[in-house]
Structure formats: structure tokens, C-alpha cells
Amino acid sequence: MAKSDITGKRKLLAQNVSHSNIKTKRWQNVNIQTRRLWVPELKRYVTLSLTTRDIRSIDKLGVVAYAKRYGITL
């Protein structure tokens, strides 16, 4: 399943809307990327499935601080 390891975000149920306003169900998938990140506090690499927004936030805050924000221990 496409799910972020830190935030837990996963696919959402949405609707296709036709020109005649007929609505049909569809899935909006999350943009999941598998990344191998260096964690200086642990002195090792950690492989995580992350959304692209997670990756941007980790670049800004750091892995440990971002994981702590969501109550995750690495």
C-alpha cells in the first residue's frame, strides 16, 4: 500500500465529474518515494517511504525533528 512511514498519509477517495455532471468514484494516490536518508544522531542510514512533501520538510527540519513531530521514533 502507498503510505508514508512518518505521516501515515495514503490514497484518498475522490470523484471524476463528467461534462454532464455524472460523478464516478476514483482514487487520488499519494506521491510516495522510497528514500535512504542519513541520520547523524543514529550514525546510520534509514530507508523510508515518504511523500514528496515529507522530503521537503525533512530537508528543512531534519529527519529526527520531523519524525518527533509525528511521534515516530527511528
Side-chain angles (χ1 to χ4, degrees):
M1 172 176 34
K3 181 179 173 184
S4 172
D5 290 338
I6 294 181
T7 58
K9 288 185 182 282
R10 43 190 222 156
K11 63 184 178 179
L12 292 171
L13 191 61
Q15 292 179 330
N16 282 331
V17 182
S18 70
H19 181 67
S20 60
N21 207 28
I22 296 170
K23 295 172 181 72
T24 56
K25 304 277 184 188
R26 72 179 187 88
W27 290 106
Q28 283 181 337
N29 290 314
V30 185
N31 189 0
I32 295 290
Q33 308 290 320
T34 302
R35 287 289 180 264
R36 186 171 165 258
L37 302 169
W38 173 254
V39 183
E41 291 84 355
L42 303 175
K43 295 186 175 139
R44 67 183 178 99
Y45 285 97
V46 178
T47 302
L48 297 169
S49 294
L50 301 168
T51 62
T52 50
R53 178 166 293 216
D54 291 341
I55 295 169
R56 288 175 54 138
S57 298
I58 286 170
D59 285 345
K60 187 175 181 180
L61 302 172
V63 184
V64 176
Y66 190 67
K68 187 177 179 184
R69 178 183 283 187
Y70 288 95
I72 305 293
T73 57
L74 299 174

